[in-house]
Amino acid sequence: MLILYRIYQFTIYWPILLVATFLTATLTIIMSFLGFGRSCGYYIPRLWAKLFCIMTFVRVTVKGRENISKGKAYVFVANHQGAYDIFAIYGYLNHQFRWMMKKSLEKIPLVGKSCRVSGQIYVDNSSPAAVRETMEDAKHQIASGMSVVVFPEGSRSFTGKVGKFRRGAYMLAVEFGLPVVPITIDGAYDVMPRTAKLPHWGHITLTIHRPILPGENGHEVNQLMQESRAAILSALPPQE
C-alpha cells in the first residue's frame, strides 16, 4: 500500500501541487499589488492548503470552533508537530489571520515574496533592530484588526512533544489586550515529522480552546504562557 502511495505522490501529487503552489503565489502577489492583499493573503492560500491535505489523504477534524467569533481578532498559539500544522490551520481554522513565520522562509522562490506582499510577518531575531521591526510589523497587523497565528515553540518538534514556549506572541496579546486562543494540533507528527522527506496519509485534529483574556484576574505574560500551554497539553496524550 505504501509503495502505491509513493508512486502516486511522485506521478500525480507532486506535479499538481507544484503547479498549485506556483499559481497560488503568483495570484497572491498580483492581487496584493492590486490592493486586495488583505483578503487574498488568506483565502487563496487557504484553498492551496486544503488541496495539500486532500491530495495526501490527510483528514482534518476541528473541535471547539464555537469558542471563537467570526471577525474578532485573536492571538492564536499552537504546538508545532510538523509541516502539516501549517496546512491544517491555514485550510481548516476558518478565521482570517496572518502568520508569524521564520525569516528564512522568505528565501523560498516566489512563495517568500507572496508572503511578504500579503502581510505575513517574518520573525527576525538576528539583531535588536530586526526584532523591533518584527514587532512593529505584528503591531501593524493587529492594530488593523487582524488575528495572528504563532507557534510559540519557534520550530517543529523533533519528537512530537511540546517544547518550551517563547514570550513574543504573549507580549503582543498583553499590549493590545487581545484574547490568546490556544490550539492543540494532534496527528501532524504522524503525517510528516520533522525528519521525514515525504508525508504519510493520516488524521489531524485541531482543538480550539477557549480564549484566555490578558488582564483578566491579573493575567500577565508568564501566566498566559502557562495557561495556554496547559490548555494545549490537555488535548494531547500525556507526555512522558
Side-chain angles (χ1 to χ4, degrees), residues 18-85:
L18 283 173
V19 172
T21 300
F22 172 81
L23 292 176
T24 297
T26 301
L27 186 56
T28 299
I29 291 171
I30 292 172
M31 297 303 289
S32 294
F33 279 120
L34 290 176
F36 299 102
R38 186 174 178 86
S39 57
C40 293
Y42 171 69
Y43 290 104
I44 296 175
R46 177 186 172 193
L47 296 175
W48 165 82
K50 279 191 171 184
L51 183 64
F52 256 87
C53 292
I54 291 168
M55 292 204 64
T56 45
F57 307 111
V58 173
R59 184 165 58 92
V60 179
T61 299
V62 181
K63 299 179 180 179
R65 202 186 298 282
E66 69 279 2
N67 289 324
I68 57 176
S69 301
K70 186 176 181 180
K72 186 174 178 61
Y74 300 101
V75 175
F76 293 100
V77 293
N79 58 312
H80 203 2
Q81 289 192 338
Y84 268 70
D85 299 340

Side-chain angles (χ1 to χ4, degrees), residues 38 71-75 98 100 119 121 134-148 172-173 175-178:
R38 186 174 178 86
K72 186 174 178 61
Y74 300 101
V75 175
R98 289 296 180 269
M100 291 187 70
I121 304 158
T134 295
M135 296 302 284
E136 288 303 315
D137 288 344
K139 289 177 183 179
H140 174 73
Q141 290 293 351
I142 290 172
S144 70
M146 183 68 70
S147 296
V148 295
L172 286 171
E175 180 171 347
F176 284 88
L178 288 181

